[in-house]
């Protein structure tokens, strides 16, 4: 039986959104000062990257175009 576009969207969205939520929680764990040490600049770089990725994801969901976001790096 063939899967409709809507069914495919729902199936894939459940997995991807759940995975993204888990990944964000793991990034948040980097704020645990008992385990990690970071500078304010490093934290700001992470937050900017994630904010930019969020803004792009929002644009992608609201339009038909998709633009690639670069991989994260501190440089």
């Amino acid at each position: 039986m063939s899967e409709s576009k809507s069914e495919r969207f729902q199936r894939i969205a459940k997995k991807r959104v759940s995975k993204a939520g888990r990944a964000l929680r793991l990034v948040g764990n980097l704020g645990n000062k008992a385990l990690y040490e970071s500078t304010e600049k490093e934290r700001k770089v992470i937050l900017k990257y994630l904010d930019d990725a969020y803004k792009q994801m929002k644009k992608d969901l609201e339009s038909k175009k998709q633009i690639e976001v670069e991989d994260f790096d501190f440089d």
Side-chain angles (χ1 to χ4, degrees), residues 14-26:
K14 287 178 187 178
K15 291 178 184 179
R16 290 184 184 178
V17 172
S18 293
K19 188 175 179 179
R22 284 191 300 273
L24 287 172
R25 285 189 294 278
L26 289 173

Side-chain angles (χ1 to χ4, degrees), residues 1-8 11:
M1 197 169 175
S2 183
E3 182 178 48
S4 72
K5 289 182 179 183
S6 176
E7 291 168 332
R8 182 171 181 246
R11 177 178 55 81

Side-chain angles (χ1 to χ4, degrees), residues 51-63:
D51 188 49
D52 290 348
Y54 170 78
K55 288 176 184 175
Q56 185 61 52
M57 182 247 350
K58 189 173 178 182
K59 284 181 189 176
D60 291 344
L61 284 173
E62 293 173 347
S63 72

